[in-house]
RNA sequence: GGCGGCGUAGCUCAACUGGUAGAGCAGCGGAGUCAUAAUCCGUUGGUUGGGGGUUCGAGUCCCUCCGCCGCUACCA
């Protein structure tokens, strides 16, 4: 199988992670795990973006130096991802020693190519914020943060990247490889921006201390975007040649809000530096809350920890990826979360597992019968096909929907075959083996399919029905899952229902 | 303002190039007992945002109105 290098956006750590951050990590993790399930050699990288104005400000507000501040902040992210079972292979921080050399090397290559030139950046400047402001950021011509002060029109000498050069090459690239930007709506947006034309973009900041030293000019630091984007390379060892072991990235998972940086600026940087382009960028949508995007302000309304605490990490992973389409926005609400947890996880899946294990315990002294091809084979392969085509297209919510069809079929199958009646007649022993053995096979398949989404619960499920420790086997075993012969584990139910729903 | 998207049953969403409006959840009725009062079967429910047009026929195409939303580059 092939290699698969997948990244998420690195999070800007000026505040604690919220559901929106979690959605991206959980989705990327599911994709990474799916590829592991396929047998691919996967490298999954996430991390934090720790330089820049806003971080510095946040640190100053708390009266600590920025490095101390990010050191503390990054632990919140790591802890959150650990809680959620995000199985990253590497966690890159832009303040790590390994990162700056990559940024500087990349910029030198770009400069060697004649794409870095001195220039003047002009704009509104708010002294209170010590930051440039866009026209759209101003309210009545003043900075909303410091309405008592005039914004001034400021010029700053800094370095520019000749982004405009790359309009045509990027357009061509996009037209030849439509999969480069997905979903399609984002591709169209990127295409529009390109058609409108590109301006050169500044890549340095003068007199700004919290950043990477600009190569060749001690008075400048690297503009944060150039710093941050390069993490995808530094994480795999660039500029050392060993970066080629993983590069080019197979998939950058980012939020739709930063599409252009990843689909225009970043590839242009790489073209300039003579580095291969990533194969695909996926711009996911947002988790909304009451109709608005979840952001730092809305993060107060619902904390990530409270969402995890509700039912544990796996149900949250399930809910986010089932309810928020991977190619669009979707809403989070407690009511909806509860509904899906109870209906899908507790009633349908959890109860099917529970009743199956109980029947094996009761009718077969706890030993899972071996069954071969059974009545459910046909639909199992139908589901596999739908699952694979959804997952290969990164449509995670559809992959989940496909998987749960197996659960529905399983429950219907129990009713039709009524094992409790078969158990009354010794002459039906073979038939009974076939039925509950078939159910065990079906649940094993469900465990396999759902592994990317609920890594911990699927392991419990697999162990419960097969008696075997460890995670479910990979997709290659789907055709003939090895569940027979083991002793089932009759333990606590997989998804206990909250008292309120019981 | 410009470009783009959306508005389908109470809720979340389907419906390929126009051809008898579907699913899941919730609700209601029944069956059943292996199971987390779970499950299974059946069923109520929509003038597809409003109006007009093209067509034998439109949720699906065109026009218009109303209401949401996205992009419109140096914020990570």
């Amino acid at each position: 199988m092939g290699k698969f290098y997948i990244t998420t956006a690195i999070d800007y750590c000026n505040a604690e992670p919220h559901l929106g951050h979690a959605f991206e990590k959980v989705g990327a993790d599911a994709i990474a795990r799916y590829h592991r399930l396929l047998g691919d050699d996967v490298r999954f990288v996430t991390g934090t973006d720790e330089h820049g104005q806003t971080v510095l400000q946040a640190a100053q507000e708390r009266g600590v130096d920025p490095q101390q501040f990010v050191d503390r902040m990054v632990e919140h992210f790591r802890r959150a991802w650990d809680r959620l079972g995000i199985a990253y292979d590497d966690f890159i921080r832009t303040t790590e020693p390994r990162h700056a050399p990559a940024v500087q090397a990349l910029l030198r290559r770009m400069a060697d190519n004649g794409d870095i030139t001195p220039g003047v950046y002009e704009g509104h400047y708010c002294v209170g914020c010590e930051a440039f402001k866009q026209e759209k950021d101003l309210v009545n011509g003043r900075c909303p943060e410091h309405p008592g002060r005039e914004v001034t029109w400021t010029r700053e000498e800094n370095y520019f990247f000749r982004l405009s050069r790359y309009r045509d090459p990027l357009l061509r690239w996009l037209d030849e490889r439509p999969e480069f930007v997905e979903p399609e709506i984002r591709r169209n947006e990127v295409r529009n921006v390109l058609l409108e034309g590109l301006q050169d973009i500044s890549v340095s900041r003068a007199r700004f201390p919290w950043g990477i030293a600009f190569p060749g000019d001690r008075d400048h630091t690297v503009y944060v975007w150039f710093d941050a984007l390069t993490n995808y390379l530094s994480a795999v060892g660039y500029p050392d040649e060993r970066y080629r072991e993983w590069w080019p990235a197979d998939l950058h998972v980012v939020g739709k809000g930063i599409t252009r940086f990843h689909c225009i600026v970043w590839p242009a940087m790489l073209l300039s530096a003579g580095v291969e382009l990533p194969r695909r960028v996926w711009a996911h949508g947002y988790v909304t809350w009451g109709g608005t995007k979840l952001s730092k302000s809305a993060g107060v309304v619902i904390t990530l920890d409270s969402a995890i605490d509700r039912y544990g990490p796996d149900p949250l992973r399930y809910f986010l990826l089932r309810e928020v389409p991977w190619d669009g926005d979707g809403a989070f609400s407690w009511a909806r979360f509860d509904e899906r947890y109870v209906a899908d996880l507790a009633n349908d899946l959890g109860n099917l597992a529970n009743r199956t294990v109980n029947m094996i315990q009761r009718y077969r002294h706890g030993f899972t019968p071996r069954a071969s091809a059974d009545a459910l084979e046909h639909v199992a392969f139908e589901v596999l096909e739908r699952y694979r085509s959804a997952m290969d297209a990164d449509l995670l919510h559809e992959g989940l929907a496909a998987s749960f069809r197996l659960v529905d079929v399983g429950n219907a199958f129990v009713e039709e075959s009524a094992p409790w009646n078969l158990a009354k007649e010794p002459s039906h022993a073979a038939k009974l083996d076939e039925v509950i053995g078939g159910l065990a096979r079906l649940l094993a398949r469900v465990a396999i399919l759902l592994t990317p989404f609920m890594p911990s619960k699927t392991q419990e499920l697999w162990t419960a029905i097969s008696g075997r420790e460890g995670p479910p086997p990979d997709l290659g075993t789907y055709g003939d899952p090895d569940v027979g012969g083991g002793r089932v584990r009759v333990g606590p139910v997989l998804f206990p229902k909250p008292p309120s729903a019981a």
Side-chain angles (χ1 to χ4, degrees):
Chain A
M1 293 271 100
K3 69 98 185 164
F4 189 77
Y5 176 28
I6 175 175
T7 69
T8 69
I10 52 174
D11 295 304
Y12 199 56
C13 49
N14 63 332
E16 294 180 24
H18 53 68
L19 262 187
H21 292 107
F23 175 58
E24 173 174 302
K25 300 321 177 254
V26 162
D29 185 58
I31 294 172
R33 287 177 185 270
Y34 171 65
H35 279 269
R36 293 194 189 107
L37 209 57
L38 292 176
D40 283 348
D41 200 4
V42 173
R43 185 157 195 85
F44 172 30
V45 176
T46 187
T48 43
D49 179 9
E50 308 186 355
H51 290 128
Q53 185 106 32
T54 322
V55 164
L56 182 61
Q57 249 175 263
Q60 286 167 343
E61 279 164 19
R62 289 164 181 77
V64 296
D65 78 53
Q67 187 65 55
Q68 273 182 331
F69 175 72
V70 294
D71 283 350
R72 216 156 59 197
M73 199 55 79
V74 74
E75 288 315 311
H76 290 292
F77 283 88
R78 282 197 151 124
R79 186 179 148 274
W81 304 159
D82 288 348
R83 279 202 82 186
L84 280 169
I86 310 300
Y88 50 81
D89 298 294
D90 195 1
F91 191 98
I92 177 104
R93 303 178 54 186
T94 56
T95 57
E96 283 178 80
R98 62 172 167 158
H99 179 63
V103 175
Q104 290 164 335
L106 195 71
L107 275 167
R108 283 205 191 87
R109 300 267 164 83
M110 293 164 68
D112 290 345
N113 197 21
D115 283 334
I116 303 295
T117 57
V120 175
Y121 181 68
E122 282 188 282
H124 297 287
Y125 188 82
C126 172
V127 184
C129 298
E130 296 186 70
F132 287 101
K133 294 283 166 180
Q134 292 292 289
E135 195 71 48
K136 63 173 183 182
D137 296 328
L138 302 180
V139 176
N140 300 324
R142 287 167 182 255
C143 170
E145 305 287 320
H146 303 89
R149 287 175 156 170
E150 294 284 336
V151 291
T152 52
W153 186 257
T154 311
R155 299 160 50 87
E156 176 179 299
E157 308 240 334
N158 57 28
Y159 296 92
F160 277 73
F161 168 43
R162 296 175 65 179
L163 182 63
S164 55
R165 269 188 166 184
Y166 294 93
R167 190 196 95 132
D168 292 344
L170 286 173
L171 262 178
R172 219 176 309 127
W173 187 269
L174 199 58
D175 287 341
E176 285 167 8
R177 299 169 187 75
E179 78 284 357
F180 182 64
V181 181
E182 287 182 306
E184 191 180 11
I185 183 169
R186 302 301 148 209
R187 175 157 69 243
N188 293 338
E189 281 177 11
V190 167
R191 212 162 172 283
N192 276 339
V193 172
L194 289 172
L195 288 173
E196 284 169 21
L198 298 176
Q199 285 172 26
D200 294 341
I201 176 174
S202 69
V203 291
S204 76
R205 287 290 181 273
R207 305 181 308 272
F208 180 72
W210 188 235
I212 291 173
F214 197 82
D217 192 329
R218 299 181 134 268
D219 292 334
H220 286 250
T221 50
V222 177
Y223 173 50
V224 272
W225 268 111
F226 281 70
D227 176 343
L229 287 165
T230 309
N231 90 85
Y232 304 127
L233 280 175
S234 63
V236 289
Y238 185 88
D240 188 292
E241 278 302 306
R242 72 196 151 90
Y243 85 97
R244 294 180 189 278
E245 185 190 334
W246 291 103
W247 194 261
D250 295 274
L251 183 62
H252 289 319
V253 172
V254 303
K256 65 183 183 181
I258 52 177
T259 309
R260 68 174 50 228
F261 291 99
H262 285 83
C263 302
I264 295 175
V265 178
W266 175 233
M269 289 165 65
L270 295 171
L271 284 175
S272 172
V275 176
E276 264 189 275
L277 267 50
R279 297 200 206 287
R280 293 194 301 130
V281 178
W282 184 282
H284 67 253
Y286 297 137
V287 180
T288 61
W289 173 268
T292 56
K293 174 191 169 186
L294 264 186
S295 60
K296 276 134 204 166
S297 48
V300 180
V301 178
I302 168 177
T303 65
L304 185 48
D305 277 328
S306 66
I308 299 174
D309 290 340
R310 186 76 144 205
Y311 301 113
D314 279 18
L316 179 61
R317 291 171 61 110
Y318 171 77
F319 178 74
L320 289 174
L321 296 178
R322 181 68 186 84
E323 191 74 3
V324 184
W326 191 234
D327 58 351
D329 297 347
F332 182 95
S333 77
W334 292 117
R336 192 78 184 146
F337 189 14
D338 294 345
E339 239 174 76
R340 281 221 110 97
Y341 176 80
V342 171
D344 298 356
L345 298 180
N347 291 352
D348 288 348
L349 173 55
N351 185 54
L352 177 62
N354 191 232
R355 66 201 302 207
T356 301
V357 166
N358 268 286
M359 286 189 283
I360 293 171
Q361 177 67 27
R362 178 184 291 221
Y363 303 139
R364 285 297 175 262
H365 309 292
F367 288 94
T368 304
R370 292 185 190 279
S372 53
D374 52 70
L376 304 168
E377 298 295 297
H378 179 68
V379 64
F381 281 98
E382 223 173 74
V383 163
L384 178 64
E385 201 177 310
R386 279 214 298 158
Y387 174 85
R388 291 226 35 189
S389 64
M391 296 300 282
D392 287 341
D394 293 317
L395 298 174
L396 303 176
H397 53 295
E398 288 183 12
L400 272 175
S403 308
F404 269 76
R405 216 173 79 84
L406 261 192
V407 175
D408 293 339
V409 167
N411 274 317
F413 178 69
V414 177
E415 300 299 325
E416 281 165 25
S417 37
W420 47 93
N421 288 335
L422 297 173
K424 292 173 189 161
E425 285 292 329
S427 61
H428 289 149
K431 176 68 179 165
L432 180 58
D433 278 345
E434 192 184 303
V435 169
I436 58 182
L439 281 170
R441 283 163 67 84
L442 177 137
L443 281 168
R445 287 170 168 148
V446 170
I448 293 170
L449 297 184
L450 293 181
T451 292
F453 302 97
M454 297 189 281
S456 156
K457 286 296 177 181
T458 48
Q459 180 163 340
E460 283 180 42
L461 173 59
W462 167 251
T463 299
I465 53 164
S466 71
R468 307 192 189 359
E469 299 294 340
D474 68 31
L475 251 190
T477 67
Y478 186 90
D480 190 19
D482 178 33
V483 280
R487 199 177 209 303
V488 296
R489 305 286 169 86
V490 186
V493 298
L494 212 49
F495 300 102
K497 220 182 284 193
S500 57

